[in-house]
Amino acid sequence: MFCNQCEQTAQGTGCTKIGVCGKTNEVAGLQDLLTYALQGLSLVAVEGRKVGIVDQAINRFTAEATFACLTNVDFDPLRFQNWINSAVQLREELKKKVAAAGGKVDFAAAAASFVPAGTLEGLIAQGEQLDFINTLDPNPDLRSLKQITVYGLRGLAAYADHAAILGQEDDTVYAFIHQALADLTRTDLSLETLVGLALKCGEVNLKAMELLDAGNTGTYGHPVPTPVPLGQKKGKAILVSGHDLKDLDMLLKQTEGKGINIYTHGEMLPTHAYPELKKYPHFFGHYGTAWQNQQKELPNFPGAILFTTNCIQKPHDSYKANVFTTGLVGWPDVAHVGADKDFTPVINRALALPGFAEDVDRGTVLTGFARNTVLGVADKVIDAVKSKAIRHFFLVGGCDGAKPGRNYYTEFVEQVPQDCMVLTLACGKFRFFDKQLGDIGGIPRLLDVGQCNDAYSAIQIAVALAGAFNCGVNDLPLSMILSWYEQKAVVILLTLFSLGIKDIRLGPSLPAFITPNVLNVLVENFAVKPIAATPAEDLQAILG
């Protein structure tokens, strides 16, 4: 195997025996093979659009299957066998429709005629032989840019899938995913063209995040500032991790009146702020911190545990029997709740387990400062900036992870001067989410914008403030201090680049898949830079 798509990749270069995420060599090869099969399907889908054939089932399948290859989503070889076989079956069925409409169905790219092996063992061998990443392009710089787009597409597909689940879709998003996957089979694209393709991925992702925002807020209301208990309530319990609001909503409905309290974990913390979710009296509080700590924290949770999207780690035997997955998440030998979303097995497991023996108060944290809330007090914010009560805004957020160096973000927030505001989102906030930073004129200095899925809110806040001050986003007293781990972070960074946002500080380390020449392009065009050795250095450089 060779995988370097996440920040924690082995030795900062690439995982070659087993993924630091827990991905086996076999699963890595199957993910590569699935991506290859999706390229073949996409070649036909692109030609289909030229003759008026657009298959919505193929659109959804492509997004779901691409999302399944994102880090910490699916680790089950049998599920990848189904994905691969389905991709090829859909490809061949679509070829017949396109040919009947007079479209092209003969392609030079081998992906369009790939024949999967008949057994799982055969598919694993095909995946290993493919060596997908290293054969993307013989030129290392062009290969680097293609990897940026592949990983960006995985993040884009995740947001598109989240939005589609809530009924928000746009064919331009699916069309781009197909076009980009097809383009990545070519070896005649220049560096400039591939830079443009990566930036286009970021541009389209803004649309996907807008759709997701519309789905979340249109279904569950705009988040409102909400204190979330960090303690526990006596009684039976279910812990929900991942990102999916609809899964949580269905679980809340199915557990009404059953004496079970629902807790969130990881990126589900901001869901407590949605009016249509917080109305449930048994939706209690938050347990644990970021995804990488689950093997330490989950053994002590005395109830059932449901993973709804990405961020699963290998469950220890001490709590594996309590774990359930749903949607695109999968782990071998872990019970999976299918598309019918009947959470009865999860509920029954929770009822069979002891639950919490007593009430424990561990205080609260505030969430719910998405764009609607922040822009609702924009006049106060603007006046505070003009009066110099607020000197600077820092967006400190992104992915958390286990690799050393992430204490930088905790120390950075602790060292931010009292006349500055901190906005945060995604699981990176768990480095400092419970810090008491006080307020400025009644506005909390630490504002939790939400999940990584809510990056659209942060962008809209910045755009609105720029409009109020009649300047560009780059001219605002705003600095972005971002941490990254997986491919949602990659595509958000591409979105920021597509908007022309500069001077982003990125850490704790730069992506292993970016070559020095490609990094120079990003530095020259967007002034992106690694975080400094200490927060004090970056604060000095920003604030003077």
Side-chain angles (χ1 to χ4, degrees):
M1 69 179 287
F2 180 79
C3 181
N4 62 359
Q5 71 177 9
C6 85
E7 190 269 337
Q8 292 181 186
T9 193
Q11 299 180 340
T13 55
C15 297
T16 57
K17 295 181 180 179
I18 188 169
V20 292
C21 63
K23 178 167 59 178
T24 63
N25 176 62
E26 290 77 13
V27 169
L30 291 169
Q31 288 182 343
D32 287 348
L33 200 63
L34 175 56
T35 305
Y36 184 66
L38 289 171
Q39 286 185 300
L41 174 60
S42 295
L43 285 161
V44 185
V46 168
E47 294 302 318
R49 278 188 170 81
K50 293 178 182 177
V51 292
I53 295 176
V54 178
D55 191 316
Q56 182 62 8
I58 288 176
N59 286 344
R60 287 297 305 276
F61 174 87
T62 303
E64 290 174 353
T66 303
F67 182 10
C69 296
L70 188 144
T71 302
N72 291 90
V73 177
D74 196 343
F75 295 80
D76 190 342
L78 292 175
R79 285 163 61 96
F80 280 103
Q81 182 178 24
N82 291 333
W83 284 115
I84 293 164
N85 288 331
S86 295
V88 173
Q89 180 181 348
L90 289 170
R91 183 195 74 202
E92 293 306 301
E93 291 172 354
L94 185 60
K95 276 185 181 180
K96 294 175 183 176
K97 296 177 184 178
V98 174
K104 174 185 173 183
V105 292
D106 295 322
F107 304 92
S113 56
F114 159 65
V115 178
T119 65
L120 178 59
E121 293 73 20
L123 288 173
I124 291 170
Q126 284 181 317
E128 291 178 351
Q129 185 178 10
L130 178 63
D131 193 21
F132 179 73
I133 293 301
N134 288 319
T135 56
L136 274 173
D137 202 287
N139 182 306
D141 295 327
L142 301 184
R143 182 167 64 249
S144 173
L145 286 165
K146 285 185 175 183
Q147 284 183 263
I148 292 172
T149 299
V150 168
Y151 303 149
L153 286 171
R154 290 176 181 173
L156 167 59
Y159 291 128
D161 182 62
H162 290 319
I165 287 170
L166 293 169
Q168 296 289 327
E169 298 180 83
D170 189 316
D171 188 61
T172 60
V173 175
Y174 297 125
F176 174 76
I177 293 174
H178 284 139
Q179 185 66 64
L181 284 169
D183 285 346
L184 291 171
T185 66
R186 297 173 57 179
T187 56
D188 61 340
L189 300 179
S190 67
L191 186 143
E192 292 76 14
T193 299
L194 287 171
V195 169
L197 185 64
L199 293 179
K200 183 68 175 179
C201 186
E203 178 187 327
V204 174
N205 185 60
L206 183 63
K207 179 63 180 178
M209 290 195 298
E210 181 184 14
L211 292 169
L212 176 56
D213 179 85
N216 283 338
T217 59
T219 307
Y220 303 109
H222 283 277
V224 295
T226 302
V228 183
L230 296 178
Q232 62 199 46
K233 184 183 259 189
K234 181 180 179 179
K236 306 292 184 178
I238 295 175
L239 186 65
V240 184
S241 193
H243 302 77
D244 197 285
L245 274 62
K246 189 171 183 179
D247 283 340
L248 174 61
D249 184 30
M250 288 187 283
L251 179 67
L252 287 165
K253 284 187 173 74
Q254 293 178 39
T255 49
E256 283 187 290
K258 295 187 182 296
I260 301 173
N261 294 311
I262 306 301
Y263 297 77
T264 54
H265 173 264
E267 289 251 50
M268 294 299 280
L269 168 63
T271 61
H272 288 274
Y274 286 88
E276 290 302 308
L277 296 176
K278 64 183 293 183
K279 69 182 183 182
Y280 293 96
H282 62 301
F283 189 26
F284 176 66
H286 188 79
Y287 178 92
T289 52
W291 67 271
Q292 79 279 359
N293 298 321
Q294 61 191 260
Q295 292 175 337
K296 299 176 184 176
E297 296 170 345
L298 299 192
N300 299 317
F301 187 78
I305 301 161
L306 176 66
F307 282 91
T308 65
T309 55
N310 54 306
C311 296
I312 191 171
Q313 281 189 305
K314 181 180 181 179
H316 283 172
D317 290 341
S318 61
Y319 65 91
K320 186 176 181 180
N322 303 337
V323 174
F324 298 80
T325 60
T326 193
L328 297 179
V329 191
W331 194 279
D333 302 320
V334 164
H336 187 78
V337 176
D340 63 355
K341 299 296 180 180
D342 180 356
F343 293 113
T344 301
V346 185
I347 294 168
N348 288 341
R349 184 61 180 168
L351 292 172
L353 290 165
F356 288 107
E358 58 183 359
D359 292 349
V360 175
D361 184 358
R362 295 193 176 94
T364 63
V365 292
L366 268 177
T367 190
F369 293 95
R371 75 179 196 285
N372 211 48
T373 295
V374 175
L375 297 181
V377 294
D379 54 341
K380 293 182 179 179
V381 173
I382 292 165
D383 288 345
V385 172
K386 289 179 177 178
S387 68
K388 301 193 184 305
I390 296 177
R391 179 172 32 150
H392 205 83
F393 298 90
F394 291 96
L395 176 59
V396 187
C399 307
D400 203 359
K403 191 174 179 179
R406 291 180 183 268
N407 284 341
Y408 165 96
Y409 297 93
T410 310
E411 295 167 6
F412 187 96
V413 169
E414 290 174 340
Q415 294 175 31
V416 166
Q418 293 292 314
D419 58 356
C420 298
M421 305 282 292
V422 177
L423 287 81
T424 189
L425 77 168
C427 64
K429 69 167 139 288
F430 288 108
R431 294 279 168 172
F432 48 80
F433 78 128
D434 55 354
K435 300 290 181 185
Q436 301 301 314
L437 300 186
D439 65 87
I440 298 177
I443 302 172
R445 287 186 57 233
L446 178 60
L447 302 177
D448 180 6
V449 178
Q451 300 178 336
C452 67
N453 293 9
D454 296 312
Y456 178 79
S457 256
I459 291 170
Q460 292 307 307
I461 291 169
V463 170
L465 288 176
F469 287 107
N470 195 28
C471 66
V473 171
N474 291 319
D475 300 315
L476 286 171
L478 167 67
S479 298
M480 297 188 183
I481 318 295
L482 305 182
S483 56
W484 80 283
Y485 169 67
E486 43 92 331
Q487 297 81 66
K488 285 182 177 178
V490 172
V491 80
I492 289 172
L493 190 63
L494 292 177
T495 297
L496 296 174
F497 289 159
S498 75
L499 292 169
I501 295 175
K502 298 183 178 182
D503 293 312
I504 297 169
R505 285 169 166 80
L506 184 65
S509 62
L510 296 178
F513 51 82
I514 294 183
T515 62
N517 288 334
V518 171
L519 179 59
N520 285 339
V521 171
L522 299 179
V523 170
E524 290 172 5
N525 287 278
F526 304 105
V528 65
K529 51 182 67 68
I531 57 173
T534 66
E537 293 176 60
D538 279 332
L539 285 166
Q540 174 65 29
I542 294 166
L543 297 175

Coordinates of all heavy atoms in Angstrom, one line a residue, residues 13-86:
T13 N 5.7 10.9 5.3 CA 5.8 10.6 3.9 C 4.6 9.8 3.3 O 4.0 10.1 2.3 CB 7.1 9.9 3.6 OG1 7.2 8.7 4.4 CG2 8.3 10.8 3.9
G14 N 4.3 8.6 4.0 CA 3.3 7.8 3.5 C 3.2 6.5 4.2 O 4.3 5.9 4.6
C15 N 2.0 5.9 4.4 CA 1.9 4.6 5.1 C 2.0 3.5 4.0 O 1.4 3.6 3.0 CB 0.5 4.5 5.7 SG 0.2 5.7 7.1
T16 N 2.9 2.5 4.3 CA 3.2 1.5 3.4 C 2.9 0.1 3.8 O 2.9 -0.8 3.0 CB 4.7 1.6 3.0 OG1 5.5 1.4 4.2 CG2 5.0 2.9 2.3
K17 N 2.6 -0.1 5.1 CA 2.3 -1.4 5.7 C 0.9 -1.4 6.3 O 0.1 -2.3 6.0 CB 3.3 -1.8 6.7 CG 4.7 -2.0 6.1 CD 5.7 -2.5 7.1 CE 7.1 -2.7 6.5 NZ 8.1 -3.1 7.5
I18 N 0.6 -0.5 7.1 CA -0.8 -0.3 7.7 C -0.9 1.2 7.9 O 0.0 1.9 8.2 CB -0.9 -1.1 8.9 CG1 -2.4 -1.1 9.4 CG2 0.0 -0.7 10.1 CD1 -2.7 -2.1 10.5
G19 N -2.2 1.7 7.7 CA -2.4 3.1 7.9 C -2.4 3.4 9.4 O -2.8 2.7 10.3
V20 N -1.9 4.6 9.7 CA -1.9 5.1 11.1 C -3.4 5.2 11.6 O -3.7 5.2 12.8 CB -1.2 6.4 11.3 CG1 0.3 6.3 11.1 CG2 -1.7 7.5 10.3
C21 N -4.3 5.3 10.6 CA -5.7 5.4 10.9 C -6.3 4.0 11.3 O -7.4 3.9 11.8 CB -6.5 6.0 9.7 SG -6.4 4.9 8.3
G22 N -5.5 3.0 11.1 CA -6.0 1.6 11.3 C -6.4 0.9 10.0 O -6.8 -0.3 10.0
K23 N -6.3 1.6 8.9 CA -6.6 1.0 7.6 C -5.6 -0.1 7.2 O -4.4 0.1 7.3 CB -6.6 2.1 6.5 CG -6.9 1.6 5.1 CD -7.2 2.8 4.2 CE -6.1 3.8 4.1 NZ -6.4 4.9 3.2
T24 N -6.1 -1.3 6.8 CA -5.2 -2.3 6.4 C -4.7 -2.2 5.0 O -5.3 -1.4 4.2 CB -5.9 -3.7 6.5 OG1 -7.0 -3.7 5.6 CG2 -6.4 -3.9 8.0
N25 N -3.6 -2.9 4.7 CA -3.1 -2.9 3.3 C -4.2 -3.3 2.3 O -4.4 -2.7 1.3 CB -1.9 -3.9 3.2 CG -1.4 -4.0 1.8 OD1 -0.9 -3.1 1.2 ND2 -1.5 -5.2 1.3
E26 N -5.1 -4.3 2.7 CA -6.1 -4.8 1.9 C -7.2 -3.7 1.6 O -7.6 -3.4 0.5 CB -6.8 -6.0 2.5 CG -6.0 -7.2 2.5 CD -4.9 -7.2 3.6 OE1 -5.0 -6.3 4.6 OE2 -4.0 -8.1 3.6
V27 N -7.6 -3.0 2.7 CA -8.6 -1.9 2.5 C -8.0 -0.7 1.7 O -8.7 -0.2 0.9 CB -9.1 -1.4 3.9 CG1 -9.9 -0.1 3.7 CG2 -9.9 -2.5 4.5
A28 N -6.8 -0.4 1.9 CA -6.1 0.7 1.1 C -6.2 0.3 -0.4 O -6.5 1.2 -1.2 CB -4.7 0.9 1.6
G29 N -5.8 -0.9 -0.7 CA -5.9 -1.3 -2.1 C -7.3 -1.3 -2.7 O -7.5 -0.9 -3.8
L30 N -8.3 -1.7 -1.9 CA -9.7 -1.7 -2.3 C -10.2 -0.3 -2.5 O -10.9 0.0 -3.5 CB -10.5 -2.4 -1.3 CG -10.3 -4.0 -1.3 CD1 -11.0 -4.6 -0.1 CD2 -10.8 -4.6 -2.5
Q31 N -9.8 0.6 -1.7 CA -10.2 2.0 -1.8 C -9.6 2.6 -3.1 O -10.2 3.3 -3.9 CB -9.7 2.9 -0.6 CG -10.5 2.6 0.6 CD -10.1 3.5 1.8 OE1 -9.0 4.1 1.8 NE2 -10.9 3.5 2.8
D32 N -8.3 2.3 -3.4 CA -7.7 2.7 -4.7 C -8.4 2.1 -5.9 O -8.7 2.8 -6.9 CB -6.2 2.3 -4.7 CG -5.3 3.1 -3.8 OD1 -5.8 4.2 -3.3 OD2 -4.2 2.8 -3.6
L33 N -8.8 0.9 -5.7 CA -9.5 0.2 -6.8 C -10.9 0.8 -7.1 O -11.3 0.9 -8.2 CB -9.6 -1.3 -6.6 CG -9.8 -2.2 -7.8 CD1 -8.7 -2.2 -8.7 CD2 -10.0 -3.7 -7.3
L34 N -11.5 1.1 -6.0 CA -12.8 1.8 -6.1 C -12.7 3.2 -6.8 O -13.5 3.5 -7.6 CB -13.5 1.9 -4.7 CG -14.8 2.7 -4.7 CD1 -15.8 2.1 -5.6 CD2 -15.3 2.8 -3.3
T35 N -11.7 3.9 -6.4 CA -11.5 5.2 -7.0 C -11.2 5.1 -8.5 O -11.8 5.8 -9.4 CB -10.3 6.0 -6.4 OG1 -10.6 6.1 -5.0 CG2 -10.1 7.4 -7.0
Y36 N -10.5 4.1 -8.9 CA -10.2 3.7 -10.3 C -11.5 3.4 -11.0 O -11.7 3.8 -12.1 CB -9.2 2.6 -10.3 CG -8.7 2.2 -11.7 CD1 -7.9 3.0 -12.4 CD2 -8.9 0.9 -12.2 CE1 -7.4 2.6 -13.7 CE2 -8.5 0.5 -13.4 CZ -7.7 1.4 -14.1 OH -7.2 1.0 -15.4
A37 N -12.3 2.5 -10.4 CA -13.6 2.1 -11.0 C -14.5 3.3 -11.1 O -15.2 3.5 -12.2 CB -14.2 1.1 -10.1
L38 N -14.4 4.3 -10.2 CA -15.3 5.5 -10.3 C -14.8 6.4 -11.4 O -15.6 7.1 -12.1 CB -15.2 6.2 -9.0 CG -16.0 5.6 -7.8 CD1 -15.7 6.3 -6.5 CD2 -17.5 5.6 -8.1
Q39 N -13.5 6.4 -11.7 CA -13.0 7.1 -12.9 C -13.6 6.5 -14.1 O -14.0 7.3 -15.0 CB -11.4 7.0 -12.9 CG -10.7 7.9 -11.9 CD -9.2 7.9 -12.1 OE1 -8.6 6.8 -12.0 NE2 -8.7 9.0 -12.3
G40 N -13.6 5.2 -14.3 CA -14.2 4.6 -15.4 C -15.7 5.0 -15.6 O -16.2 5.3 -16.7
L41 N -16.4 4.9 -14.5 CA -17.8 5.3 -14.5 C -18.0 6.8 -14.9 O -18.9 7.1 -15.6 CB -18.4 5.0 -13.1 CG -19.9 5.5 -12.9 CD1 -20.8 4.8 -13.8 CD2 -20.3 5.2 -11.4
S42 N -17.1 7.6 -14.4 CA -17.2 9.0 -14.6 C -16.9 9.4 -16.1 O -17.5 10.3 -16.6 CB -16.2 9.8 -13.7 OG -16.5 9.7 -12.4
L43 N -16.0 8.7 -16.7 CA -15.7 8.9 -18.1 C -17.0 8.7 -18.9 O -17.3 9.5 -19.8 CB -14.7 7.9 -18.6 CG -13.2 8.2 -18.2 CD1 -12.3 7.0 -18.4 CD2 -12.7 9.4 -19.1
V44 N -17.8 7.7 -18.6 CA -19.1 7.4 -19.3 C -20.1 8.5 -18.9 O -20.9 9.0 -19.8 CB -19.6 6.0 -19.0 CG1 -20.8 5.7 -19.9 CG2 -18.5 5.0 -19.3
A45 N -20.1 8.9 -17.6 CA -21.1 9.8 -17.2 C -20.9 11.2 -17.9 O -21.9 11.9 -18.2 CB -21.0 10.0 -15.7
V46 N -19.6 11.6 -18.1 CA -19.3 12.8 -18.8 C -19.9 12.8 -20.2 O -20.5 13.8 -20.7 CB -17.8 13.1 -18.8 CG1 -17.5 14.2 -19.7 CG2 -17.3 13.4 -17.4
E47 N -19.7 11.7 -20.9 CA -20.2 11.6 -22.2 C -21.7 11.5 -22.2 O -22.4 12.0 -23.1 CB -19.6 10.3 -22.9 CG -18.1 10.4 -23.1 CD -17.7 11.6 -24.0 OE1 -18.4 11.9 -25.0 OE2 -16.7 12.2 -23.7
G48 N -22.3 10.9 -21.2 CA -23.7 10.9 -21.1 C -24.4 12.2 -21.0 O -25.4 12.5 -21.7
R49 N -23.7 13.1 -20.2 CA -24.3 14.5 -20.1 C -24.3 15.2 -21.5 O -25.1 16.0 -21.7 CB -23.5 15.3 -19.1 CG -23.9 15.0 -17.7 CD -23.3 16.0 -16.7 NE -23.9 15.8 -15.3 CZ -23.6 14.9 -14.5 NH1 -22.7 14.0 -14.8 NH2 -24.3 14.8 -13.3
K50 N -23.3 14.9 -22.3 CA -23.2 15.5 -23.6 C -24.4 15.1 -24.5 O -24.7 15.9 -25.5 CB -21.9 15.1 -24.3 CG -20.7 15.7 -23.6 CD -19.4 15.2 -24.4 CE -18.2 15.7 -23.6 NZ -16.9 15.2 -24.3
V51 N -25.0 14.0 -24.3 CA -26.2 13.5 -25.1 C -27.5 13.5 -24.3 O -28.4 12.9 -24.6 CB -25.9 12.2 -25.7 CG1 -24.8 12.3 -26.8 CG2 -25.6 11.1 -24.7
G52 N -27.4 14.3 -23.2 CA -28.6 14.5 -22.4 C -29.0 13.4 -21.4 O -30.2 13.3 -20.9
I53 N -28.1 12.5 -21.1 CA -28.3 11.4 -20.2 C -27.7 11.7 -18.8 O -26.4 11.7 -18.7 CB -27.9 10.1 -20.7 CG1 -28.6 9.7 -22.0 CG2 -28.0 9.0 -19.7 CD1 -28.2 8.4 -22.6
V54 N -28.5 12.0 -17.8 CA -28.0 12.2 -16.5 C -28.8 11.3 -15.6 O -30.0 11.3 -15.5 CB -28.3 13.7 -16.0 CG1 -27.8 13.9 -14.6 CG2 -27.6 14.7 -17.0
D55 N -28.0 10.4 -14.9 CA -28.6 9.4 -14.1 C -28.4 9.8 -12.6 O -27.3 9.8 -12.1 CB -28.0 8.0 -14.3 CG -28.7 6.9 -13.7 OD1 -29.1 7.0 -12.5 OD2 -28.8 5.8 -14.3
Q56 N -29.5 10.1 -11.9 CA -29.5 10.6 -10.6 C -28.9 9.5 -9.6 O -28.2 9.8 -8.7 CB -30.8 11.1 -10.1 CG -30.9 11.6 -8.7 CD -30.0 12.9 -8.5 OE1 -29.5 13.4 -9.5 NE2 -29.8 13.3 -7.3
A57 N -29.3 8.3 -9.9 CA -28.8 7.2 -9.1 C -27.2 7.1 -9.2 O -26.5 6.8 -8.2 CB -29.4 5.8 -9.5
I58 N -26.7 7.3 -10.4 CA -25.2 7.3 -10.5 C -24.6 8.5 -9.9 O -23.5 8.4 -9.3 CB -24.9 7.2 -12.0 CG1 -25.2 5.8 -12.6 CG2 -23.4 7.6 -12.3 CD1 -25.0 5.6 -14.0
N59 N -25.3 9.6 -9.9 CA -24.8 10.8 -9.2 C -24.6 10.5 -7.7 O -23.5 10.8 -7.1 CB -25.8 12.0 -9.4 CG -25.8 12.6 -10.7 OD1 -24.8 12.4 -11.5 ND2 -26.8 13.4 -11.0
R60 N -25.7 10.0 -7.1 CA -25.6 9.7 -5.7 C -24.6 8.6 -5.4 O -23.8 8.7 -4.4 CB -27.0 9.3 -5.1 CG -28.0 10.4 -5.0 CD -27.6 11.5 -4.0 NE -27.3 11.0 -2.7 CZ -28.2 10.7 -1.8 NH1 -29.5 10.9 -2.0 NH2 -27.9 10.3 -0.6
F61 N -24.5 7.6 -6.2 CA -23.6 6.5 -6.0 C -22.2 7.1 -6.0 O -21.3 6.7 -5.2 CB -23.8 5.4 -7.0 CG -22.7 4.4 -7.0 CD1 -22.9 3.3 -6.1 CD2 -21.6 4.4 -7.7 CE1 -22.0 2.3 -6.0 CE2 -20.6 3.4 -7.6 CZ -20.8 2.4 -6.8
T62 N -21.8 7.9 -7.0 CA -20.5 8.4 -7.1 C -20.1 9.2 -5.9 O -19.0 9.1 -5.4 CB -20.4 9.3 -8.4 OG1 -20.8 8.5 -9.5 CG2 -18.9 9.8 -8.6
A63 N -21.0 10.1 -5.4 CA -20.7 10.8 -4.2 C -20.5 9.9 -3.0 O -19.5 10.1 -2.2 CB -21.8 11.9 -3.9
E64 N -21.3 9.0 -2.8 CA -21.3 8.1 -1.7 C -20.0 7.3 -1.7 O -19.3 7.1 -0.7 CB -22.5 7.2 -1.6 CG -23.8 7.9 -1.3 CD -25.0 7.0 -1.4 OE1 -24.8 5.9 -1.8 OE2 -26.1 7.4 -0.9
A65 N -19.7 6.7 -2.9 CA -18.5 5.8 -3.0 C -17.2 6.6 -2.9 O -16.2 6.1 -2.3 CB -18.5 5.1 -4.3
T66 N -17.2 7.8 -3.4 CA -16.0 8.7 -3.2 C -15.8 9.1 -1.7 O -14.7 9.0 -1.2 CB -16.1 9.9 -4.1 OG1 -16.3 9.6 -5.4 CG2 -14.9 10.8 -3.9
F67 N -16.9 9.4 -1.0 CA -16.9 9.7 0.4 C -16.4 8.5 1.2 O -15.7 8.6 2.2 CB -18.3 10.1 0.8 CG -18.5 10.5 2.2 CD1 -17.4 10.7 3.1 CD2 -19.7 10.7 2.8 CE1 -17.6 11.1 4.4 CE2 -19.9 11.1 4.1 CZ -18.8 11.3 4.9
A68 N -16.8 7.3 0.8 CA -16.4 6.1 1.5 C -14.9 5.9 1.5 O -14.3 5.2 2.4 CB -17.0 4.8 0.9
C69 N -14.1 6.6 0.6 CA -12.7 6.4 0.6 C -12.0 7.5 1.5 O -10.7 7.5 1.6 CB -12.2 6.6 -0.9 SG -12.7 5.2 -1.9
L70 N -12.7 8.4 2.1 CA -12.2 9.4 3.0 C -11.7 8.7 4.2 O -12.2 7.7 4.7 CB -13.3 10.4 3.2 CG -12.9 11.7 4.0 CD1 -13.7 12.9 3.5 CD2 -13.2 11.6 5.5
T71 N -10.7 9.3 4.9 CA -10.1 8.7 6.1 C -11.1 8.5 7.2 O -11.9 9.4 7.4 CB -8.9 9.6 6.5 OG1 -8.0 9.8 5.5 CG2 -8.2 9.0 7.8
N72 N -11.0 7.3 7.9 CA -11.8 7.0 9.0 C -13.3 6.9 8.7 O -14.1 7.3 9.6 CB -11.6 8.1 10.1 CG -10.2 8.0 10.8 OD1 -9.3 8.6 10.3 ND2 -10.1 7.2 11.8
V73 N -13.6 6.4 7.5 CA -15.1 6.2 7.2 C -15.4 4.7 7.2 O -16.1 4.2 8.0 CB -15.4 6.9 5.9 CG1 -16.9 6.6 5.5 CG2 -15.2 8.4 5.9
D74 N -14.8 4.0 6.2 CA -15.2 2.6 6.0 C -13.9 1.8 6.0 O -13.0 2.0 5.2 CB -16.0 2.5 4.7 CG -16.7 1.1 4.6 OD1 -16.4 0.2 5.4 OD2 -17.6 1.0 3.8
F75 N -13.9 0.8 6.9 CA -12.7 -0.1 7.0 C -13.1 -1.6 6.7 O -12.4 -2.5 6.9 CB -12.2 -0.1 8.4 CG -11.6 1.3 8.8 CD1 -12.4 2.3 9.2 CD2 -10.2 1.5 8.8 CE1 -11.9 3.5 9.6 CE2 -9.7 2.7 9.1 CZ -10.5 3.7 9.6
D76 N -14.3 -1.8 6.1 CA -14.8 -3.1 5.9 C -14.6 -3.6 4.4 O -15.2 -3.1 3.5 CB -16.3 -3.1 6.2 CG -16.9 -4.5 6.2 OD1 -16.3 -5.4 5.7 OD2 -18.0 -4.7 6.8
P77 N -13.7 -4.6 4.2 CA -13.4 -5.0 2.9 C -14.7 -5.5 2.1 O -14.8 -5.2 0.9 CB -12.4 -6.2 3.1 CG -11.8 -5.9 4.4 CD -12.9 -5.3 5.2
L78 N -15.6 -6.1 2.7 CA -16.8 -6.6 2.0 C -17.6 -5.5 1.5 O -18.2 -5.7 0.4 CB -17.6 -7.5 3.0 CG -17.0 -8.8 3.4 CD1 -17.8 -9.6 4.4 CD2 -16.7 -9.7 2.2
R79 N -17.7 -4.4 2.2 CA -18.4 -3.3 1.6 C -17.8 -2.7 0.4 O -18.4 -2.3 -0.5 CB -18.6 -2.2 2.7 CG -19.7 -2.6 3.8 CD -19.5 -1.8 5.1 NE -19.7 -0.4 4.9 CZ -20.9 0.3 5.1 NH1 -21.9 -0.4 5.4 NH2 -20.9 1.6 4.9
F80 N -16.4 -2.7 0.4 CA -15.7 -2.2 -0.8 C -15.9 -3.1 -2.0 O -15.9 -2.7 -3.1 CB -14.3 -1.9 -0.4 CG -14.1 -0.6 0.3 CD1 -13.8 -0.6 1.6 CD2 -14.1 0.6 -0.4 CE1 -13.7 0.6 2.3 CE2 -14.0 1.8 0.3 CZ -13.7 1.8 1.7
Q81 N -16.0 -4.4 -1.7 CA -16.2 -5.3 -2.8 C -17.6 -5.0 -3.5 O -17.7 -5.0 -4.7 CB -16.3 -6.8 -2.3 CG -16.5 -7.8 -3.3 CD -16.5 -9.2 -2.8 OE1 -16.8 -9.4 -1.6 NE2 -16.2 -10.2 -3.6
N82 N -18.6 -4.7 -2.7 CA -19.9 -4.3 -3.2 C -19.8 -3.0 -4.0 O -20.4 -2.8 -5.1 CB -20.9 -4.2 -2.1 CG -21.3 -5.5 -1.5 OD1 -21.2 -6.6 -2.2 ND2 -21.7 -5.6 -0.2
W83 N -19.1 -2.0 -3.4 CA -18.9 -0.7 -4.1 C -18.3 -0.9 -5.5 O -18.8 -0.3 -6.5 CB -18.0 0.2 -3.3 CG -18.6 0.8 -2.0 CD1 -18.2 0.6 -0.7 CD2 -19.7 1.8 -2.0 NE1 -19.0 1.4 0.1 CE2 -19.9 2.1 -0.6 CE3 -20.4 2.4 -2.9 CZ2 -20.8 3.1 -0.2 CZ3 -21.4 3.4 -2.5 CH2 -21.6 3.7 -1.2
I84 N -17.2 -1.7 -5.5 CA -16.5 -1.8 -6.8 C -17.3 -2.5 -7.8 O -17.4 -2.1 -9.0 CB -15.1 -2.6 -6.5 CG1 -14.2 -1.8 -5.7 CG2 -14.5 -3.0 -7.8 CD1 -13.1 -2.6 -5.1
N85 N -18.0 -3.6 -7.5 CA -18.8 -4.3 -8.4 C -20.0 -3.5 -8.9 O -20.3 -3.5 -10.1 CB -19.3 -5.6 -7.8 CG -18.2 -6.7 -7.6 OD1 -17.3 -6.7 -8.4 ND2 -18.4 -7.5 -6.6
S86 N -20.5 -2.7 -8.0 CA -21.6 -1.8 -8.4 C -21.2 -0.7 -9.3 O -21.9 -0.4 -10.3 CB -22.3 -1.2 -7.1 OG -22.9 -2.1 -6.3

